[in-house]
Amino acid sequence: MSSLAEKQIWSADTYERNARFVADLAGDVLAWLSPQPGERILDVGCGDGALTARLADLGANVVGIDASESLLEAARARGLDVVRQDVLAMDYSGSFDAIFSNAVLHWVTEPARAIANMRRALTPNGRLVAEFGGHGNVAAIVTAMRAAAHRHGGDADLAAPWFYPTPEEYSGLLRDGGFKVRRIGLYPRPTALPTGMQGWLETFRAPFFRQFGDQADAVKAEVVALLKPSLCDKAGNWTADYVRLRVEAVAV
Ligand code: BEZ
């Protein structure tokens, strides 16, 4: 990411308030990982360590990596072994029995490089178990932001900096990167937003609104109004149109 307008800034406080559900809804991917006591596990994009701590509690020797110092501080406060590191730059070699990643890999727009680094980090037969946004994820939200960008002369591409592959596309990348895919699928998961659409937009897409300067709040209100008929029920509860791609692959 290059300019300030594109930069996603993570704050542990904002994340805790608006996105605690990210870790709370990770039961399925944790079940796919099925961590064993004593296993060496790398948690890619550990964030504030909520899930890293669950892996550690199950007896795994976990190392977490993340790019955000604010989130890492929160993880360190839980007593976790975490390092400021980018999946695109890490150079672990044969160090882990498994790699786990939740709600992170859609931020990585050079997937082949990330897969190469994860493959190198694993022992032979080591497994990669990950869940992240898949094809069609938050499509309504992105379309509303694109519409607002067109109306206000903004950059519509700032609405969606993410990589949301189909299972076929991601399977191909994994095979090319030295993995055998054991199971992979898309799982629609309508997700309740505890602080509504405004909280979600402020947590995850601030760079999009920043481009509108002193009009940012008005553009945000317009996006919320566009989405209300589709994603907000009569009682005022918001649901986001999440689609998860979940995968288990083995290093060959
Ligand atoms: C997701 O988990 O699908 C997601 C999170 C933040 C921004 C976009 C998507």
Side-chain angles (χ1 to χ4, degrees):
M1 296 198 180
S2 47
S3 74
L4 188 62
E6 291 169 281
K7 211 165 159 64
Q8 172 74 31
I9 296 163
W10 298 102
S11 138
D13 287 346
T14 318
Y15 200 84
E16 173 62 30
R17 222 175 312 120
N18 295 325
R20 175 53 43 224
F21 65 84
V22 173
D24 291 346
L25 297 176
D28 290 332
V29 66
L30 283 172
W32 278 30
L33 176 67
S34 183
Q36 301 301 309
E39 275 193 315
R40 294 163 303 164
I41 299 181
L42 177 67
D43 184 355
V44 169
C46 63
D48 66 7
L51 293 175
T52 324
R54 275 162 75 177
L55 301 181
D57 287 348
L58 291 166
N61 295 323
V62 200
V63 175
I65 62 166
D66 205 282
S68 159
E69 199 47 53
S70 170
L71 294 177
L72 286 171
E73 260 174 44
R76 283 191 199 104
R78 298 178 194 264
L80 295 165
D81 180 4
V82 294
V83 184
R84 187 168 193 184
Q85 181 64 272
D86 187 328
V87 68
L88 293 176
M90 68 182 192
D91 63 355
Y92 296 109
S93 182
S95 313
F96 297 99
D97 303 305
I99 290 179
F100 174 75
S101 184
N102 181 55
V104 168
L105 294 177
H106 51 259
W107 291 98
V108 179
T109 50
E110 290 179 76
R113 208 161 117 206
I115 286 168
N117 288 351
M118 292 192 288
R119 170 66 190 82
R120 190 176 343 99
L122 286 168
T123 53
N125 290 320
R127 62 203 193 284
L128 165 65
V129 176
E131 182 173 301
F132 55 100
H135 191 67
N137 194 45
V138 293
I141 301 176
V142 169
T143 303
M145 282 192 281
R146 285 189 176 283
H150 286 304
R151 255 174 66 84
H152 295 275
D155 179 354
D157 287 343
L158 284 178
W162 306 295
F163 167 64
Y164 293 149
T166 62
E168 292 72 24
E169 182 182 2
Y170 207 65
S171 296
L173 286 164
L174 286 169
R175 276 194 295 270
D176 292 347
F179 282 94
K180 182 172 166 16
V181 176
R182 271 196 185 147
R183 46 187 168 165
I184 189 166
L186 279 184
Y187 301 90
R189 194 199 66 198
T191 298
L193 301 181
T195 55
M197 186 52 62
Q198 180 155 337
W200 192 94
L201 294 172
E202 285 167 0
T203 307
F204 294 123
R205 210 69 292 265
F208 172 80
F209 295 101
R210 217 176 286 140
Q211 68 176 316
F212 300 105
D214 58 8
Q215 290 301 303
D217 284 348
V219 175
K220 199 182 303 161
E222 193 175 311
V223 171
V224 171
L226 272 172
L227 288 166
K228 198 166 177 190
S230 308
L231 299 183
C232 187
D233 70 13
K234 288 194 171 55
N237 303 306
W238 284 88
T239 303
D241 50 338
Y242 274 34
V243 178
R244 306 288 83 191
L245 185 145
R246 194 178 311 135
V247 61
E248 179 184 8
V250 182
V252 288

